[in-house]
Amino acid sequence: MDLTMLLGTRKGLISYRNNHAGWTVENLSFEGQPVSIAYADPRTGTWWAGLDHGHWGVKLHRSMDRGAHWEEIPAPAYPQGEEIKEGIPATTRYIWAIAHGGDTHRSRLWLGTDPGGLFRSHDGGASFQLVESLWNHPSRKTGWLGGGRDQPGIHSIVVDPRNEDHIHIGISCAGIFETSDGGNHWEIRNNGLRAEFLPDPETGVGHDPHILVAAPSDPDTLWQQNHCGIFRSGDGARSWQEVSQKEGPARFGFAIAVAGDDPDQAWVAPARSDGNRIAINGGLCICRTDNGGKTWKELRKGLPQQNCFDIVYRHALATSGDALAFGTTTGNLFFSANRGESWETINNYLPMIYSLQFTN
Amino acid sequence: MPTVRFTYALKRFFPAIRDTTASSGTLPDILREMEGAYPGLQSYILDEQGNLRKHVNIFIDGELITDRLHLSDGCKENSEIYIMQALSGG
């Protein structure tokens, strides 16, 4: 196995590499600084880091040599005069998602930000421009809300490998949006979702998908861990069906991952509830479905089962082949070589983990 | 000529940064001049709309500036301008 786990944490970027000695730290960058997301572009091997300096603003860095050297490049910036809402200037508050544009658009890169702007690069990330068609969507100023953060944010960018101009994005709180022309036009795809935190739970916009993923083996199968349950779509997000457990733990949470080779196999990392964001009954479990969400299995072997308060943030659960891993809010990192059947602890003393990605 | 002094915290990102004299008069002009001396610096101090970042403070001759949006506070010919991090969070 030649795998790397790339972590974005509250105190830096950390990469773990699997070798004959097991998992060892290969690189530590941006020591002490919040890395809101760490991302490895599989096309080029370039590593990206979105930084969230408390004082100095949001920054963007990239490395061509696995973190040995970093280059700061201009962070995505909202055009002069743009406003989040009337009287509130639009500035980049957080980089929450990074995705490459695919093999047919080798120089294209996407960034999702708080306060709700999607940015696109045509030059490999040297510069980014706001996607104005989405920013000017008629639903934004009146229908998008903060969720977890003060302002709306784009945390999910899902590029269809069959047609890389076909993209779904997830916004908290607005919901799922789809473009079929590379970002010129957008459709809302929230049919079947519920927003129980709004007066009208079946509102067209204002939903809170915590994270959106597509099955690599069937991109028309999409999954989301939503604020109000787990939802699956088999028709490219045109309709959503809830697949949460009524009585079991698989219901509230932030993260979701789907198997690379099976659109019906997915994992979630349950937390107790939106009003009580801790592990359920003091124990950590990952839940897996092997049948598209009809049933869920609790995977606990090797995970702490008492006095545990960890939850898993939306970008901090990942899969690659049989490998599965997650990082927690309390800085624990767990790895499974068998799709979650059993777990080993990699580290108990990391900073709060914001993102985890498998790469080579 | 005004002198600009920077918090030590900026040395992490701009190792060469040090007390720097400016030739121009208004605060926005002075910050543009500092951007010329230390490329990239302005984005650490101002956001993309040109407003002072929430957790950055600028003092002119010991007084905290009051116009964080347009930076219209006046500078004298020999003013000392301090660019500091706000100690938000303790």
Side-chain angles (χ1 to χ4, degrees), chain A residues 31 33 55-56 59 72 78-81 90 92, chain B residues 12-13 43-44 47-49 53 55-56 85-86:
Chain A
E31 260 181 306
Q33 300 174 46
H55 294 87
W56 313 114
K59 307 297 175 202
E72 181 175 346
Y78 287 78
Q80 285 282 314
T92 303
Chain B
R12 175 166 188 171
F13 315 111
S43 77
Y44 281 65
D47 66 30
E48 61 259 51
Q49 304 296 345
R53 291 195 179 279
H55 299 298
V56 177
Q85 56 185 340

mmCIF file with all atom_site columns, all heavy atoms in Angstrom, chain A residues 31 33 55-56 59 72 78-81 90 92, chain B residues 12-13 43-44 47-49 53 55-56 85-86:
data_model
loop_
_atom_site.group_PDB
_atom_site.id
_atom_site.type_symbol
_atom_site.label_atom_id
_atom_site.label_alt_id
_atom_site.label_comp_id
_atom_site.label_asym_id
_atom_site.label_entity_id
_atom_site.label_seq_id
_atom_site.pdbx_PDB_ins_code
_atom_site.Cartn_x
_atom_site.Cartn_y
_atom_site.Cartn_z
_atom_site.occupancy
_atom_site.B_iso_or_equiv
_atom_site.pdbx_formal_charge
_atom_site.auth_seq_id
_atom_site.auth_comp_id
_atom_site.auth_asym_id
_atom_site.auth_atom_id
_atom_site.pdbx_PDB_model_num
ATOM 1   N N   . GLU A 1 31 ? 2.947   25.339 10.670 1.00 0.00 ? 31 GLU A N   1
ATOM 2   C CA  . GLU A 1 31 ? 2.837   25.037 12.103 1.00 0.00 ? 31 GLU A CA  1
ATOM 3   C C   . GLU A 1 31 ? 2.087   26.124 12.859 1.00 0.00 ? 31 GLU A C   1
ATOM 4   O O   . GLU A 1 31 ? 2.439   27.303 12.771 1.00 0.00 ? 31 GLU A O   1
ATOM 5   C CB  . GLU A 1 31 ? 4.228   24.942 12.710 1.00 0.00 ? 31 GLU A CB  1
ATOM 6   C CG  . GLU A 1 31 ? 4.732   23.551 12.893 1.00 0.00 ? 31 GLU A CG  1
ATOM 7   C CD  . GLU A 1 31 ? 6.116   23.585 13.526 1.00 0.00 ? 31 GLU A CD  1
ATOM 8   O OE1 . GLU A 1 31 ? 6.990   24.278 12.976 1.00 0.00 ? 31 GLU A OE1 1
ATOM 9   O OE2 . GLU A 1 31 ? 6.290   22.942 14.553 1.00 0.00 ? 31 GLU A OE2 1
ATOM 10  N N   . GLN A 1 33 ? -0.833  27.272 12.448 1.00 0.00 ? 33 GLN A N   1
ATOM 11  C CA  . GLN A 1 33 ? -1.814  28.074 11.713 1.00 0.00 ? 33 GLN A CA  1
ATOM 12  C C   . GLN A 1 33 ? -2.996  27.218 11.262 1.00 0.00 ? 33 GLN A C   1
ATOM 13  O O   . GLN A 1 33 ? -2.806  26.086 10.823 1.00 0.00 ? 33 GLN A O   1
ATOM 14  C CB  . GLN A 1 33 ? -1.147  28.711 10.488 1.00 0.00 ? 33 GLN A CB  1
ATOM 15  C CG  . GLN A 1 33 ? 0.010   29.620 10.863 1.00 0.00 ? 33 GLN A CG  1
ATOM 16  C CD  . GLN A 1 33 ? 0.755   30.126 9.639  1.00 0.00 ? 33 GLN A CD  1
ATOM 17  O OE1 . GLN A 1 33 ? 0.165   30.559 8.672  1.00 0.00 ? 33 GLN A OE1 1
ATOM 18  N NE2 . GLN A 1 33 ? 2.069   30.054 9.689  1.00 0.00 ? 33 GLN A NE2 1
ATOM 19  N N   . HIS A 1 55 ? -5.751  36.890 12.175 1.00 0.00 ? 55 HIS A N   1
ATOM 20  C CA  . HIS A 1 55 ? -5.527  38.327 12.022 1.00 0.00 ? 55 HIS A CA  1
ATOM 21  C C   . HIS A 1 55 ? -5.405  38.765 10.568 1.00 0.00 ? 55 HIS A C   1
ATOM 22  O O   . HIS A 1 55 ? -5.898  39.818 10.195 1.00 0.00 ? 55 HIS A O   1
ATOM 23  C CB  . HIS A 1 55 ? -4.232  38.736 12.747 1.00 0.00 ? 55 HIS A CB  1
ATOM 24  C CG  . HIS A 1 55 ? -4.308  38.577 14.224 1.00 0.00 ? 55 HIS A CG  1
ATOM 25  N ND1 . HIS A 1 55 ? -4.017  37.390 14.864 1.00 0.00 ? 55 HIS A ND1 1
ATOM 26  C CD2 . HIS A 1 55 ? -4.678  39.439 15.191 1.00 0.00 ? 55 HIS A CD2 1
ATOM 27  C CE1 . HIS A 1 55 ? -4.184  37.546 16.160 1.00 0.00 ? 55 HIS A CE1 1
ATOM 28  N NE2 . HIS A 1 55 ? -4.582  38.775 16.388 1.00 0.00 ? 55 HIS A NE2 1
ATOM 29  N N   . TRP A 1 56 ? -4.735  37.960 9.772  1.00 0.00 ? 56 TRP A N   1
ATOM 30  C CA  . TRP A 1 56 ? -4.235  38.460 8.481  1.00 0.00 ? 56 TRP A CA  1
ATOM 31  C C   . TRP A 1 56 ? -5.067  38.010 7.299  1.00 0.00 ? 56 TRP A C   1
ATOM 32  O O   . TRP A 1 56 ? -4.687  38.213 6.158  1.00 0.00 ? 56 TRP A O   1
ATOM 33  C CB  . TRP A 1 56 ? -2.771  38.019 8.303  1.00 0.00 ? 56 TRP A CB  1
ATOM 34  C CG  . TRP A 1 56 ? -1.942  38.275 9.512  1.00 0.00 ? 56 TRP A CG  1
ATOM 35  C CD1 . TRP A 1 56 ? -1.359  37.349 10.330 1.00 0.00 ? 56 TRP A CD1 1
ATOM 36  C CD2 . TRP A 1 56 ? -1.620  39.555 10.091 1.00 0.00 ? 56 TRP A CD2 1
ATOM 37  N NE1 . TRP A 1 56 ? -0.702  37.955 11.369 1.00 0.00 ? 56 TRP A NE1 1
ATOM 38  C CE2 . TRP A 1 56 ? -0.839  39.306 11.242 1.00 0.00 ? 56 TRP A CE2 1
ATOM 39  C CE3 . TRP A 1 56 ? -1.908  40.875 9.737  1.00 0.00 ? 56 TRP A CE3 1
ATOM 40  C CZ2 . TRP A 1 56 ? -0.355  40.340 12.052 1.00 0.00 ? 56 TRP A CZ2 1
ATOM 41  C CZ3 . TRP A 1 56 ? -1.429  41.902 10.537 1.00 0.00 ? 56 TRP A CZ3 1
ATOM 42  C CH2 . TRP A 1 56 ? -0.660  41.630 11.676 1.00 0.00 ? 56 TRP A CH2 1
ATOM 43  N N   . LYS A 1 59 ? -5.674  32.914 3.247  1.00 0.00 ? 59 LYS A N   1
ATOM 44  C CA  . LYS A 1 59 ? -4.564  32.817 2.298  1.00 0.00 ? 59 LYS A CA  1
ATOM 45  C C   . LYS A 1 59 ? -4.621  31.474 1.579  1.00 0.00 ? 59 LYS A C   1
ATOM 46  O O   . LYS A 1 59 ? -5.209  30.512 2.076  1.00 0.00 ? 59 LYS A O   1
ATOM 47  C CB  . LYS A 1 59 ? -3.215  32.944 3.016  1.00 0.00 ? 59 LYS A CB  1
ATOM 48  C CG  . LYS A 1 59 ? -3.078  34.182 3.901  1.00 0.00 ? 59 LYS A CG  1
ATOM 49  C CD  . LYS A 1 59 ? -3.159  35.475 3.127  1.00 0.00 ? 59 LYS A CD  1
ATOM 50  C CE  . LYS A 1 59 ? -3.134  36.674 4.071  1.00 0.00 ? 59 LYS A CE  1
ATOM 51  N NZ  . LYS A 1 59 ? -3.715  37.860 3.460  1.00 0.00 ? 59 LYS A NZ  1
ATOM 52  N N   . GLU A 1 72 ? 2.920   31.193 -1.888 1.00 0.00 ? 72 GLU A N   1
ATOM 53  C CA  . GLU A 1 72 ? 1.654   31.877 -1.640 1.00 0.00 ? 72 GLU A CA  1
ATOM 54  C C   . GLU A 1 72 ? 1.172   32.508 -2.936 1.00 0.00 ? 72 GLU A C   1
ATOM 55  O O   . GLU A 1 72 ? 1.930   33.193 -3.619 1.00 0.00 ? 72 GLU A O   1
ATOM 56  C CB  . GLU A 1 72 ? 1.781   32.961 -0.564 1.00 0.00 ? 72 GLU A CB  1
ATOM 57  C CG  . GLU A 1 72 ? 0.438   33.634 -0.312 1.00 0.00 ? 72 GLU A CG  1
ATOM 58  C CD  . GLU A 1 72 ? 0.452   34.632 0.833  1.00 0.00 ? 72 GLU A CD  1
ATOM 59  O OE1 . GLU A 1 72 ? 1.409   34.640 1.622  1.00 0.00 ? 72 GLU A OE1 1
ATOM 60  O OE2 . GLU A 1 72 ? -0.530  35.397 0.930  1.00 0.00 ? 72 GLU A OE2 1
ATOM 61  N N   . TYR A 1 78 ? -13.275 38.847 -3.747 1.00 0.00 ? 78 TYR A N   1
ATOM 62  C CA  . TYR A 1 78 ? -14.537 39.321 -4.312 1.00 0.00 ? 78 TYR A CA  1
ATOM 63  C C   . TYR A 1 78 ? -14.304 40.670 -5.000 1.00 0.00 ? 78 TYR A C   1
ATOM 64  O O   . TYR A 1 78 ? -13.572 41.512 -4.468 1.00 0.00 ? 78 TYR A O   1
ATOM 65  C CB  . TYR A 1 78 ? -15.600 39.448 -3.217 1.00 0.00 ? 78 TYR A CB  1
ATOM 66  C CG  . TYR A 1 78 ? -16.094 38.101 -2.746 1.00 0.00 ? 78 TYR A CG  1
ATOM 67  C CD1 . TYR A 1 78 ? -15.342 37.327 -1.877 1.00 0.00 ? 78 TYR A CD1 1
ATOM 68  C CD2 . TYR A 1 78 ? -17.301 37.581 -3.213 1.00 0.00 ? 78 TYR A CD2 1
ATOM 69  C CE1 . TYR A 1 78 ? -15.774 36.079 -1.464 1.00 0.00 ? 78 TYR A CE1 1
ATOM 70  C CE2 . TYR A 1 78 ? -17.748 36.325 -2.810 1.00 0.00 ? 78 TYR A CE2 1
ATOM 71  C CZ  . TYR A 1 78 ? -16.982 35.584 -1.932 1.00 0.00 ? 78 TYR A CZ  1
ATOM 72  O OH  . TYR A 1 78 ? -17.411 34.342 -1.543 1.00 0.00 ? 78 TYR A OH  1
ATOM 73  N N   . PRO A 1 79 ? -14.917 40.879 -6.152 1.00 0.00 ? 79 PRO A N   1
ATOM 74  C CA  . PRO A 1 79 ? -14.719 42.157 -6.863 1.00 0.00 ? 79 PRO A CA  1
ATOM 75  C C   . PRO A 1 79 ? -15.159 43.339 -6.009 1.00 0.00 ? 79 PRO A C   1
ATOM 76  O O   . PRO A 1 79 ? -16.045 43.216 -5.167 1.00 0.00 ? 79 PRO A O   1
ATOM 77  C CB  . PRO A 1 79 ? -15.610 42.008 -8.106 1.00 0.00 ? 79 PRO A CB  1
ATOM 78  C CG  . PRO A 1 79 ? -15.755 40.535 -8.308 1.00 0.00 ? 79 PRO A CG  1
ATOM 79  C CD  . PRO A 1 79 ? -15.753 39.935 -6.934 1.00 0.00 ? 79 PRO A CD  1
ATOM 80  N N   . GLN A 1 80 ? -14.531 44.476 -6.274 1.00 0.00 ? 80 GLN A N   1
ATOM 81  C CA  . GLN A 1 80 ? -14.845 45.722 -5.565 1.00 0.00 ? 80 GLN A CA  1
ATOM 82  C C   . GLN A 1 80 ? -16.346 45.998 -5.603 1.00 0.00 ? 80 GLN A C   1
ATOM 83  O O   . GLN A 1 80 ? -16.975 45.896 -6.654 1.00 0.00 ? 80 GLN A O   1
ATOM 84  C CB  . GLN A 1 80 ? -14.124 46.886 -6.229 1.00 0.00 ? 80 GLN A CB  1
ATOM 85  C CG  . GLN A 1 80 ? -12.634 46.942 -5.935 1.00 0.00 ? 80 GLN A CG  1
ATOM 86  C CD  . GLN A 1 80 ? -12.350 47.503 -4.562 1.00 0.00 ? 80 GLN A CD  1
ATOM 87  O OE1 . GLN A 1 80 ? -12.919 48.505 -4.179 1.00 0.00 ? 80 GLN A OE1 1
ATOM 88  N NE2 . GLN A 1 80 ? -11.483 46.845 -3.816 1.00 0.00 ? 80 GLN A NE2 1
ATOM 89  N N   . GLY A 1 81 ? -16.898 46.300 -4.437 1.00 0.00 ? 81 GLY A N   1
ATOM 90  C CA  . GLY A 1 81 ? -18.291 46.706 -4.365 1.00 0.00 ? 81 GLY A CA  1
ATOM 91  C C   . GLY A 1 81 ? -19.275 45.567 -4.172 1.00 0.00 ? 81 GLY A C   1
ATOM 92  O O   . GLY A 1 81 ? -20.451 45.810 -3.920 1.00 0.00 ? 81 GLY A O   1
ATOM 93  N N   . ALA A 1 90 ? -18.616 42.024 0.656  1.00 0.00 ? 90 ALA A N   1
ATOM 94  C CA  . ALA A 1 90 ? -18.217 40.631 0.439  1.00 0.00 ? 90 ALA A CA  1
ATOM 95  C C   . ALA A 1 90 ? -16.703 40.517 0.452  1.00 0.00 ? 90 ALA A C   1
ATOM 96  O O   . ALA A 1 90 ? -16.023 41.135 -0.369 1.00 0.00 ? 90 ALA A O   1
ATOM 97  C CB  . ALA A 1 90 ? -18.783 40.131 -0.882 1.00 0.00 ? 90 ALA A CB  1
ATOM 98  N N   . THR A 1 92 ? -13.560 37.366 1.265  1.00 0.00 ? 92 THR A N   1
ATOM 99  C CA  . THR A 1 92 ? -13.364 35.937 1.485  1.00 0.00 ? 92 THR A CA  1
ATOM 100 C C   . THR A 1 92 ? -13.099 35.679 2.960  1.00 0.00 ? 92 THR A C   1
ATOM 101 O O   . THR A 1 92 ? -12.128 36.180 3.523  1.00 0.00 ? 92 THR A O   1
ATOM 102 C CB  . THR A 1 92 ? -12.183 35.423 0.637  1.00 0.00 ? 92 THR A CB  1
ATOM 103 O OG1 . THR A 1 92 ? -12.444 35.732 -0.722 1.00 0.00 ? 92 THR A OG1 1
ATOM 104 C CG2 . THR A 1 92 ? -12.021 33.923 0.797  1.00 0.00 ? 92 THR A CG2 1
ATOM 105 N N   . ARG B 2 12 ? 6.987   36.593 10.301 1.00 0.00 ? 12 ARG B N   1
ATOM 106 C CA  . ARG B 2 12 ? 6.833   35.204 9.872  1.00 0.00 ? 12 ARG B CA  1
ATOM 107 C C   . ARG B 2 12 ? 6.548   35.128 8.371  1.00 0.00 ? 12 ARG B C   1
ATOM 108 O O   . ARG B 2 12 ? 6.981   34.207 7.691  1.00 0.00 ? 12 ARG B O   1
ATOM 109 C CB  . ARG B 2 12 ? 5.706   34.555 10.667 1.00 0.00 ? 12 ARG B CB  1
ATOM 110 C CG  . ARG B 2 12 ? 5.399   33.153 10.203 1.00 0.00 ? 12 ARG B CG  1
ATOM 111 C CD  . ARG B 2 12 ? 4.551   32.385 11.168 1.00 0.00 ? 12 ARG B CD  1
ATOM 112 N NE  . ARG B 2 12 ? 4.454   30.998 10.747 1.00 0.00 ? 12 ARG B NE  1
ATOM 113 C CZ  . ARG B 2 12 ? 3.925   30.047 11.462 1.00 0.00 ? 12 ARG B CZ  1
ATOM 114 N NH1 . ARG B 2 12 ? 3.462   30.306 12.663 1.00 0.00 ? 12 ARG B NH1 1
ATOM 115 N NH2 . ARG B 2 12 ? 3.857   28.807 11.011 1.00 0.00 ? 12 ARG B NH2 1
ATOM 116 N N   . PHE B 2 13 ? 5.780   36.091 7.887  1.00 0.00 ? 13 PHE B N   1
ATOM 117 C CA  . PHE B 2 13 ? 5.368   36.062 6.482  1.00 0.00 ? 13 PHE B CA  1
ATOM 118 C C   . PHE B 2 13 ? 6.250   36.950 5.611  1.00 0.00 ? 13 PHE B C   1
ATOM 119 O O   . PHE B 2 13 ? 6.352   36.745 4.405  1.00 0.00 ? 13 PHE B O   1
ATOM 120 C CB  . PHE B 2 13 ? 3.909   36.508 6.364  1.00 0.00 ? 13 PHE B CB  1
ATOM 121 C CG  . PHE B 2 13 ? 3.021   35.867 7.396  1.00 0.00 ? 13 PHE B CG  1
ATOM 122 C CD1 . PHE B 2 13 ? 2.469   36.615 8.425  1.00 0.00 ? 13 PHE B CD1 1
ATOM 123 C CD2 . PHE B 2 13 ? 2.787   34.498 7.358  1.00 0.00 ? 13 PHE B CD2 1
ATOM 124 C CE1 . PHE B 2 13 ? 1.672   36.029 9.385  1.00 0.00 ? 13 PHE B CE1 1
ATOM 125 C CE2 . PHE B 2 13 ? 1.989   33.901 8.323  1.00 0.00 ? 13 PHE B CE2 1
ATOM 126 C CZ  . PHE B 2 13 ? 1.435   34.664 9.346  1.00 0.00 ? 13 PHE B CZ  1
ATOM 127 N N   . SER B 2 43 ? -2.485  42.732 1.448  1.00 0.00 ? 43 SER B N   1
ATOM 128 C CA  . SER B 2 43 ? -3.589  41.787 1.641  1.00 0.00 ? 43 SER B CA  1
ATOM 129 C C   . SER B 2 43 ? -3.602  41.205 3.061  1.00 0.00 ? 43 SER B C   1
ATOM 130 O O   . SER B 2 43 ? -4.581  40.598 3.479  1.00 0.00 ? 43 SER B O   1
ATOM 131 C CB  . SER B 2 43 ? -3.509  40.646 0.626  1.00 0.00 ? 43 SER B CB  1
ATOM 132 O OG  . SER B 2 43 ? -2.517  39.708 0.996  1.00 0.00 ? 43 SER B OG  1
ATOM 133 N N   . TYR B 2 44 ? -2.514  41.377 3.801  1.00 0.00 ? 44 TYR B N   1
ATOM 134 C CA  . TYR B 2 44 ? -2.492  40.942 5.196  1.00 0.00 ? 44 TYR B CA  1
ATOM 135 C C   . TYR B 2 44 ? -3.117  42.001 6.111  1.00 0.00 ? 44 TYR B C   1
ATOM 136 O O   . TYR B 2 44 ? -3.536  41.703 7.220  1.00 0.00 ? 44 TYR B O   1
ATOM 137 C CB  . TYR B 2 44 ? -1.061  40.633 5.657  1.00 0.00 ? 44 TYR B CB  1
ATOM 138 C CG  . TYR B 2 44 ? -0.560  39.291 5.188  1.00 0.00 ? 44 TYR B CG  1
ATOM 139 C CD1 . TYR B 2 44 ? -0.366  39.018 3.836  1.00 0.00 ? 44 TYR B CD1 1
ATOM 140 C CD2 . TYR B 2 44 ? -0.292  38.270 6.101  1.00 0.00 ? 44 TYR B CD2 1
ATOM 141 C CE1 . TYR B 2 44 ? 0.069   37.784 3.405  1.00 0.00 ? 44 TYR B CE1 1
ATOM 142 C CE2 . TYR B 2 44 ? 0.150   37.017 5.674  1.00 0.00 ? 44 TYR B CE2 1
ATOM 143 C CZ  . TYR B 2 44 ? 0.335   36.787 4.327  1.00 0.00 ? 44 TYR B CZ  1
ATOM 144 O OH  . TYR B 2 44 ? 0.754   35.551 3.904  1.00 0.00 ? 44 TYR B OH  1
ATOM 145 N N   . ASP B 2 47 ? -8.629  43.979 3.625  1.00 0.00 ? 47 ASP B N   1
ATOM 146 C CA  . ASP B 2 47 ? -9.328  42.970 2.835  1.00 0.00 ? 47 ASP B CA  1
ATOM 147 C C   . ASP B 2 47 ? -9.463  43.467 1.396  1.00 0.00 ? 47 ASP B C   1
ATOM 148 O O   . ASP B 2 47 ? -9.011  44.571 1.055  1.00 0.00 ? 47 ASP B O   1
ATOM 149 C CB  . ASP B 2 47 ? -10.664 42.592 3.474  1.00 0.00 ? 47 ASP B CB  1
ATOM 150 C CG  . ASP B 2 47 ? -11.665 43.738 3.489  1.00 0.00 ? 47 ASP B CG  1
ATOM 151 O OD1 . ASP B 2 47 ? -11.621 44.593 2.591  1.00 0.00 ? 47 ASP B OD1 1
ATOM 152 O OD2 . ASP B 2 47 ? -12.503 43.771 4.423  1.00 0.00 ? 47 ASP B OD2 1
ATOM 153 N N   . GLU B 2 48 ? -10.093 42.639 0.557  1.00 0.00 ? 48 GLU B N   1
ATOM 154 C CA  . GLU B 2 48 ? -10.128 42.977 -0.863 1.00 0.00 ? 48 GLU B CA  1
ATOM 155 C C   . GLU B 2 48 ? -11.014 44.185 -1.161 1.00 0.00 ? 48 GLU B C   1
ATOM 156 O O   . GLU B 2 48 ? -10.969 44.728 -2.262 1.00 0.00 ? 48 GLU B O   1
ATOM 157 C CB  . GLU B 2 48 ? -10.570 41.773 -1.704 1.00 0.00 ? 48 GLU B CB  1
ATOM 158 C CG  . GLU B 2 48 ? -11.958 41.224 -1.409 1.00 0.00 ? 48 GLU B CG  1
ATOM 159 C CD  . GLU B 2 48 ? -11.901 39.964 -0.551 1.00 0.00 ? 48 GLU B CD  1
ATOM 160 O OE1 . GLU B 2 48 ? -11.223 40.001 0.504  1.00 0.00 ? 48 GLU B OE1 1
ATOM 161 O OE2 . GLU B 2 48 ? -12.535 38.971 -0.935 1.00 0.00 ? 48 GLU B OE2 1
ATOM 162 N N   . GLN B 2 49 ? -11.823 44.614 -0.193 1.00 0.00 ? 49 GLN B N   1
ATOM 163 C CA  . GLN B 2 49 ? -12.622 45.828 -0.399 1.00 0.00 ? 49 GLN B CA  1
ATOM 164 C C   . GLN B 2 49 ? -11.878 47.065 0.100  1.00 0.00 ? 49 GLN B C   1
ATOM 165 O O   . GLN B 2 49 ? -12.434 48.169 0.114  1.00 0.00 ? 49 GLN B O   1
ATOM 166 C CB  . GLN B 2 49 ? -13.971 45.696 0.302  1.00 0.00 ? 49 GLN B CB  1
ATOM 167 C CG  . GLN B 2 49 ? -14.782 44.473 -0.129 1.00 0.00 ? 49 GLN B CG  1
ATOM 168 C CD  . GLN B 2 49 ? -15.209 44.499 -1.587 1.00 0.00 ? 49 GLN B CD  1
ATOM 169 O OE1 . GLN B 2 49 ? -15.152 45.520 -2.245 1.00 0.00 ? 49 GLN B OE1 1
ATOM 170 N NE2 . GLN B 2 49 ? -15.626 43.346 -2.105 1.00 0.00 ? 49 GLN B NE2 1
ATOM 171 N N   . ARG B 2 53 ? -8.572  44.963 8.126  1.00 0.00 ? 53 ARG B N   1
ATOM 172 C CA  . ARG B 2 53 ? -9.032  43.669 8.629  1.00 0.00 ? 53 ARG B CA  1
ATOM 173 C C   . ARG B 2 53 ? -9.471  43.794 10.086 1.00 0.00 ? 53 ARG B C   1
ATOM 174 O O   . ARG B 2 53 ? -8.904  44.588 10.849 1.00 0.00 ? 53 ARG B O   1
ATOM 175 C CB  . ARG B 2 53 ? -7.937  42.615 8.477  1.00 0.00 ? 53 ARG B CB  1
ATOM 176 C CG  . ARG B 2 53 ? -7.670  42.247 7.037  1.00 0.00 ? 53 ARG B CG  1
ATOM 177 C CD  . ARG B 2 53 ? -6.872  40.962 6.906  1.00 0.00 ? 53 ARG B CD  1
ATOM 178 N NE  . ARG B 2 53 ? -6.645  40.620 5.514  1.00 0.00 ? 53 ARG B NE  1
ATOM 179 C CZ  . ARG B 2 53 ? -7.549  40.011 4.726  1.00 0.00 ? 53 ARG B CZ  1
ATOM 180 N NH1 . ARG B 2 53 ? -8.721  39.673 5.212  1.00 0.00 ? 53 ARG B NH1 1
ATOM 181 N NH2 . ARG B 2 53 ? -7.260  39.746 3.462  1.00 0.00 ? 53 ARG B NH2 1
ATOM 182 N N   . HIS B 2 55 ? -9.125  42.144 12.755 1.00 0.00 ? 55 HIS B N   1
ATOM 183 C CA  . HIS B 2 55 ? -8.223  41.896 13.868 1.00 0.00 ? 55 HIS B CA  1
ATOM 184 C C   . HIS B 2 55 ? -6.840  42.518 13.652 1.00 0.00 ? 55 HIS B C   1
ATOM 185 O O   . HIS B 2 55 ? -5.825  41.996 14.112 1.00 0.00 ? 55 HIS B O   1
ATOM 186 C CB  . HIS B 2 55 ? -8.115  40.389 14.134 1.00 0.00 ? 55 HIS B CB  1
ATOM 187 C CG  . HIS B 2 55 ? -9.433  39.778 14.488 1.00 0.00 ? 55 HIS B CG  1
ATOM 188 N ND1 . HIS B 2 55 ? -10.138 40.145 15.607 1.00 0.00 ? 55 HIS B ND1 1
ATOM 189 C CD2 . HIS B 2 55 ? -10.189 38.850 13.858 1.00 0.00 ? 55 HIS B CD2 1
ATOM 190 C CE1 . HIS B 2 55 ? -11.272 39.460 15.658 1.00 0.00 ? 55 HIS B CE1 1
ATOM 191 N NE2 . HIS B 2 55 ? -11.328 38.672 14.607 1.00 0.00 ? 55 HIS B NE2 1
ATOM 192 N N   . VAL B 2 56 ? -6.825  43.617 12.908 1.00 0.00 ? 56 VAL B N   1
ATOM 193 C CA  . VAL B 2 56 ? -5.590  44.383 12.732 1.00 0.00 ? 56 VAL B CA  1
ATOM 194 C C   . VAL B 2 56 ? -5.875  45.814 13.205 1.00 0.00 ? 56 VAL B C   1
ATOM 195 O O   . VAL B 2 56 ? -6.965  46.345 12.953 1.00 0.00 ? 56 VAL B O   1
ATOM 196 C CB  . VAL B 2 56 ? -5.144  44.399 11.248 1.00 0.00 ? 56 VAL B CB  1
ATOM 197 C CG1 . VAL B 2 56 ? -3.901  45.261 11.072 1.00 0.00 ? 56 VAL B CG1 1
ATOM 198 C CG2 . VAL B 2 56 ? -4.876  42.983 10.755 1.00 0.00 ? 56 VAL B CG2 1
ATOM 199 N N   . GLN B 2 85 ? -1.237  43.643 15.480 1.00 0.00 ? 85 GLN B N   1
ATOM 200 C CA  . GLN B 2 85 ? -2.353  42.706 15.532 1.00 0.00 ? 85 GLN B CA  1
ATOM 201 C C   . GLN B 2 85 ? -3.195  43.024 16.760 1.00 0.00 ? 85 GLN B C   1
ATOM 202 O O   . GLN B 2 85 ? -2.659  43.359 17.815 1.00 0.00 ? 85 GLN B O   1
ATOM 203 C CB  . GLN B 2 85 ? -1.864  41.263 15.579 1.00 0.00 ? 85 GLN B CB  1
ATOM 204 C CG  . GLN B 2 85 ? -0.922  40.952 16.716 1.00 0.00 ? 85 GLN B CG  1
ATOM 205 C CD  . GLN B 2 85 ? -0.389  39.537 16.618 1.00 0.00 ? 85 GLN B CD  1
ATOM 206 O OE1 . GLN B 2 85 ? -0.971  38.682 15.960 1.00 0.00 ? 85 GLN B OE1 1
ATOM 207 N NE2 . GLN B 2 85 ? 0.717   39.276 17.284 1.00 0.00 ? 85 GLN B NE2 1
ATOM 208 N N   . ALA B 2 86 ? -4.517  42.966 16.582 1.00 0.00 ? 86 ALA B N   1
ATOM 209 C CA  . ALA B 2 86 ? -5.401  43.141 17.733 1.00 0.00 ? 86 ALA B CA  1
ATOM 210 C C   . ALA B 2 86 ? -5.331  41.870 18.571 1.00 0.00 ? 86 ALA B C   1
ATOM 211 O O   . ALA B 2 86 ? -5.243  40.766 18.033 1.00 0.00 ? 86 ALA B O   1
ATOM 212 C CB  . ALA B 2 86 ? -6.821  43.387 17.253 1.00 0.00 ? 86 ALA B CB  1
#
